Amino acid sequence: MGHWWYRNIVEPGKLPLLLALVSFVLSFLVTRVITRLIRAGRGPFKNVTPGGLHIHHVVPGVILVIIGGFGAVGSGRHGFGAGLSAVIFGLGAGLVLDEFALILHLDDVYWSEQGRKSVEIVVLTAAIVALVLGGFLPFGVNDLTTEERHSRGLVVINTATNFFLALIALWKGKARTAFFGTVIPFVALIGSIRLARPGSPYAKRFYVNRPRARAKAGLRAFHHDRRWTAPRRRFENFIGGTPDKEQASDAGGESR
């Protein structure tokens, strides 16, 4: 374990990346806990509203990302400065991506159905960074043996292939399958070979003159949504909180 730690984390200078990942995940989790307490009216935490202006936590998040990013560029990959900059960057990134949906929609959709995109993008980001840290991508690792080069080269090829299949799944209107398929083997493959969802760019291009394919795709999408929507929502509610009923139908209004 010590040899793996030195070869894959310390030697290639990935310790700041590890610190950034840990602070990123902790920042997201702590922020979600605090916002849920504010929403429930419990605890000492309150919204920051100087002069009646609601300051979303994406604002200090952007500031921290800028400080940590420039600090990381100026400090290299080793030393105390690099580690501190990584922690600051991770904290800021957690705050920013926790309100990714707000940036995407340019609206306060934190507790709406659209706000679930923030949870999904955080999970995807953490998974990709974890893959890099785990040595699956050998960036910066010196003096690889022939066996190591072969095994890691295969992983890199598989990752690139998986990413290509994820693009096909996205083309077929399966955004979640594409997102998680970039890091989970075979998920993107399944999404790329199955029927496209109705209304997707693929369906509009290839199902126009295929009524049976359109009908089958619609029926399959209906059964899939009925089977998996409830478990997926329970998981997302557990991580990110239950959306407001008012915002489920109307994404406007105050989030917290």
Side-chain angles (χ1 to χ4, degrees):
M1 183 65 185
H3 176 71
W4 177 91
W5 173 264
Y6 180 80
R7 289 271 289 162
N8 292 278
I9 302 297
V10 177
E11 181 188 9
K14 291 182 180 178
L15 182 58
L17 185 61
L18 174 62
L19 295 174
L21 175 62
V22 173
S23 60
F24 168 73
V25 173
L26 290 178
S27 174
F28 170 74
L29 294 177
V30 171
T31 300
R32 281 284 164 169
V33 170
I34 293 176
T35 55
R36 293 174 75 166
L37 289 175
I38 294 175
R39 185 191 190 194
R42 301 167 59 183
F45 306 103
K46 303 293 180 183
N47 288 327
V48 180
T49 55
L53 177 64
H54 183 186
I55 305 297
H56 291 270
H57 49 268
V58 67
V59 176
V62 169
I63 296 174
L64 290 176
V65 165
I66 292 173
I67 295 174
F70 279 108
V73 170
S75 57
R77 294 183 297 175
H78 301 275
F80 176 78
L84 178 61
S85 298
V87 171
I88 294 175
F89 178 84
L91 293 174
L95 294 173
V96 170
L97 291 189
D98 184 56
E99 294 202 310
F100 171 80
L102 182 149
I103 301 172
L104 179 64
H105 293 279
L106 293 180
D107 197 1
D108 196 350
V109 295
Y110 193 85
W111 294 121
S112 72
E113 288 289 337
Q114 294 92 332
R116 296 174 184 269
K117 293 183 178 65
S118 298
V119 178
E120 294 173 358
I121 200 68
V122 165
V123 173
L124 178 64
T125 301
I128 292 176
V129 176
L131 279 177
V132 177
L133 279 171
F136 290 106
L137 300 181
F139 301 144
V141 180
N142 298 324
D143 301 325
L144 291 174
T145 64
T146 303
E147 183 179 352
E148 287 176 326
R149 290 182 185 277
H150 179 69
S151 60
R152 296 190 186 207
L154 288 177
V155 171
V156 171
I157 293 173
N158 290 337
T159 301
T161 304
N162 224 34
F163 183 76
F164 175 75
L165 295 175
L167 290 179
I168 298 178
L170 185 63
W171 187 24
K172 289 189 171 184
K174 304 174 182 181
R176 292 185 179 87
T177 301
F179 286 154
F180 292 104
T182 57
V183 294
I184 303 176
F186 303 113
V187 171
L189 175 62
I190 294 173
S192 64
I193 63 178
R194 291 175 67 87
L195 285 171
R197 291 187 66 88
S200 66
Y202 186 95
K204 293 178 180 178
R205 174 66 178 82
F206 294 103
Y207 294 170
V208 175
N209 299 319
R210 299 173 59 191
R212 293 184 61 183
R214 289 201 310 271
K216 188 175 181 179
L219 183 62
R220 177 168 292 181
F222 170 77
H223 287 302
H224 177 274
D225 293 342
R226 186 175 64 175
R227 182 184 302 114
W228 294 106
T229 295
R232 175 175 57 82
R233 287 189 174 183
R234 284 195 294 268
F235 174 75
E236 291 176 343
N237 292 345
F238 174 74
I239 299 295
T242 305
D244 292 335
K245 293 182 179 180
E246 301 81 10
Q247 292 192 4
S249 58
D250 181 7
E254 289 295 326
S255 66
R256 295 178 294 287

